[in-house]
Amino acid sequence: MESDQIGNRGVNVTDHDLTFRSLSEVLQNNITPYIALLEAKDCPGIKNLMQKLMGQLMNCYIDVDSLEDEDYVQVSQNRIRCSMSSLIDWYESVTKKTDSETPSKKRTSSSRHWQSPPVVVIFKDMESFTTKVLQDFIVISSQHIRELPLVLIFGIATSPMIIHNLLPHSVSSLLCIELFQSLSCKEHLSTIIDKLLLTTQFPFKLGEKVLQVLINIFLYHDFSVQNFIKGFQLCIVEHFYSQPLSVLCCQLVDTKKRVNYLSHDQCENIRRLPSFRRYVEGQVSEKQIALLTADSCLKEVTLKLLEDLHVYHENYVSVLRCLHVFTSSLPKYPLGKQIRELHCACLENQVWETEEYESSLQLARMLNKSDLVTMLQQCVEIFVSSSGKEFDKTVEKLKDFLTQFQKLEEAFQERDVSVSSQKELQKKTDLYHLQKTLLELKESRRSKKLTKFEMLRFEVVDYIDSLVRNYLVPADHKTLHEIVYFNTASVLREHLNAAPRIALHTALNNPYCYLKNQALKSDGGSISNKAPDICIVYKLHLECGRLINLVDWLEAFSTVVMAAEGPNADAASSDQVDDIIHARFIRAVSELELLGFIKPSKQKTDHVARLTWGGC
């Protein structure tokens, strides 16, 4: 009986190839060196499947087209028949060769691979395979399972039930099926953001709008982690290319050296930064004069401000993780379940002033003891492992809260109010009942004296709130944030959000924009006779109405083109010139029709209809 692993990858995942490649590498490093990846487009029949399978396992090149009428593969100087018996002979030979190795080599190999490594065949897109091909391969393989240990991995994009729809019971019963599922794309995205953005080891940061553009493209367009990383790399290139002060976007160790080597022009660039100008306005007059005139004073202050910015990032990440521990454990997620959502909310504005934050605090004030203790323990671990140096007192305070909870022994009746409130809150998850419950609890607190547990719970939530207000200040409130934060979302949209009509209009209306040829420069709406024919035809068609007379259009085209010929036009006969211009015009009009700007008109045979209107 064959071992069959079903991997559910989900629909619309564009990183399939990378995922299967990573899976193959993990298996090769830990389980077996014998792995083959098969796609439906390469395996229309069982013969093609066996050719691909043996070709990959034997590390030889298979040209399926040239072997269309043959059942052989070329291995070194030998031709091997593509059959299960040939595959078994090959497997026995390679495993015997491994067994006959020296003891030292054998120990090294056995530490990485199984004693009798199986042959793993990965079907990357099971739904696309022909049913007969799958059935034949499984039936044939099951007859040789004792000689050839085989593991099949089926990549499924829909539902695991598809295997029973594709295979009859007589075939599926030959398989020992196990199900596993890869991580979702959103979880991969959260990991990427956590490793790249929520770390102090990488000085470059993304502003709120830029990060939101990348996340929106990911969530609403392609679900591709690779494309998200490419967008992040594009942000790095744009920032270091367009920001003259990006030389200071580096690790804190190198900052002091680079600040000392700032030129006078770079110092002037610092003085022009909006955040630095706000900082200068808040200083006394003598300090303002020194900052605006003395480069040495400016460099000293710049170094201190960059150090403060680095400390801000260290503290920000730790407190953000602590806040996420609280918000992600609530019955509802006003600030979002993922840390990336919370990070965007903190970058956008002062998060403590939002309604979502107030709702989160109200929900946190109704948590039970076990949840609070668990959250506090997680926060202690976060702050202990933090690189920030300001959290020693915070750790002591949180440990003190834990000690008080341990010592706290309330009667069951006193704790019952809080527990029942929490249960009721979890049952009633719709917005109306949630608000009603919150109002009832608020009224009950006014009329009833708080228990010790409730007072301590309020104290814990208020302390977390104070940390948020102190450390989660938006980045654009910090001086010199422009040096390390990339905030130009419009530039990123131009690169990532395709606008084909605008690009096409720009290329045809102003070819100099792309070709950078000085001869193509034109003033205003004038038509350059040096432009490509399609550009001349396009600009002439913009001056026409719904129907364009081809004869008038040709005459206008000929007038523009002949202006470039000048007196040399007499060198050839008039008829030849007309034929050449006519041919160029026909070709340009055909290209314009191919691009979708015009179409033939049924009303008049010598006219074409214009299809596009309005400016870009």
Side-chain angles (χ1 to χ4, degrees), residues 113-131:
H113 297 138
W114 289 2
Q115 190 79 18
S116 298
V119 175
V120 177
V121 183
I122 301 176
F123 295 83
K124 298 173 68 173
D125 46 352
M126 182 187 179
E127 292 96 335
S128 301
F129 275 85
T130 307
T131 304

Side-chain angles (χ1 to χ4, degrees), residues 359-600:
S359 300
S360 299
L361 287 187
Q362 291 182 6
L363 293 171
R365 292 189 177 102
M366 292 184 290
L367 291 171
N368 57 35
K369 178 184 174 182
S370 60
D371 289 340
L372 275 174
V373 170
T374 303
M375 293 176 189
L376 288 174
Q377 289 173 345
Q378 293 177 3
C379 289
V380 169
E381 293 176 1
I382 290 172
F383 288 123
V384 168
S385 60
S386 170
S387 56
K389 301 178 181 178
E390 302 180 11
F391 294 124
D392 293 340
K393 293 183 179 179
T394 302
V395 172
E396 292 179 5
K397 185 68 175 177
L398 295 180
K399 288 183 177 179
D400 181 56
F401 284 138
L402 289 172
T403 304
Q404 293 183 54
F405 276 119
Q406 290 175 355
K407 294 179 180 179
L408 192 62
E409 295 181 1
E410 289 289 329
F412 178 81
Q413 293 79 8
E414 292 178 330
R415 291 187 291 111
D416 186 58
V417 177
S418 174
V419 174
S420 62
S421 300
Q422 175 68 13
K423 289 181 179 179
E424 185 179 2
L425 183 65
Q426 291 176 344
K427 289 179 182 178
K428 300 175 181 180
T429 54
D430 60 281
L431 185 60
Y432 171 76
H433 286 96
L434 182 63
Q435 291 177 341
K436 184 178 178 181
T437 305
L438 292 174
L439 290 174
E440 290 175 355
L441 290 172
K442 189 175 182 180
E443 291 296 330
S444 65
R445 289 196 190 97
R446 291 178 180 175
S447 58
K448 182 182 177 181
K449 186 178 179 181
L450 295 177
T451 64
K452 292 182 180 179
F453 166 72
E454 290 174 334
M455 293 173 62
L456 182 57
R457 181 173 58 186
F458 271 60
E459 190 177 349
V460 169
V461 175
D462 291 341
Y463 184 74
I464 298 298
D465 180 43
S466 66
L467 291 177
V468 171
R469 294 173 183 269
N470 288 335
Y471 295 107
L472 295 189
V473 180
D476 55 9
H477 286 53
K478 309 301 292 185
T479 308
L480 301 184
H481 70 273
E482 298 93 341
I483 294 177
V484 297
Y485 279 85
F486 178 68
N487 292 297
T488 316
S490 58
V491 175
L492 187 63
R493 288 194 191 97
E494 291 178 4
H495 288 293
L496 298 182
N497 291 343
R501 185 185 172 192
I502 296 176
L504 198 57
H505 172 79
T506 304
L508 296 176
N509 194 50
N510 182 21
Y512 172 78
C513 181
Y514 292 100
L515 300 179
K516 302 301 180 184
N517 186 344
Q518 294 295 329
L520 298 177
K521 273 191 173 182
S522 59
D523 298 330
S526 62
I527 303 176
S528 172
N529 48 34
K530 302 288 182 63
D533 293 343
I534 189 174
C535 297
I536 298 174
V537 169
Y538 177 78
K539 296 191 74 172
L540 290 172
H541 115 286
L542 293 177
E543 302 173 358
C544 300
R546 188 177 65 87
L547 293 178
I548 306 174
N549 190 315
L550 286 172
V551 177
D552 297 339
W553 200 3
L554 173 59
E555 291 180 359
F557 176 78
S558 178
T559 302
V560 175
V561 172
M562 289 298 291
E565 302 293 338
N568 297 328
D570 298 334
S573 66
S574 177
D575 293 338
Q576 289 178 335
V577 172
D578 290 342
D579 290 342
I580 292 173
I581 293 177
H582 195 186
R584 290 168 58 184
F585 174 76
I586 292 175
R587 183 178 65 180
V589 171
S590 300
E591 291 173 348
L592 213 59
E593 181 182 355
L594 182 64
L595 292 173
F597 288 100
I598 59 173
K599 71 173 183 178

Side-chain angles (χ1 to χ4, degrees), residues 16-36:
H16 274 157
D17 290 338
L18 180 62
T19 302
F20 283 114
R21 204 158 51 240
S22 301
L23 174 62
S24 177
E25 291 175 358
V26 171
L27 293 175
Q28 282 182 331
N29 292 333
N30 300 285
I31 306 298
T32 175
Y34 314 124
I35 297 176

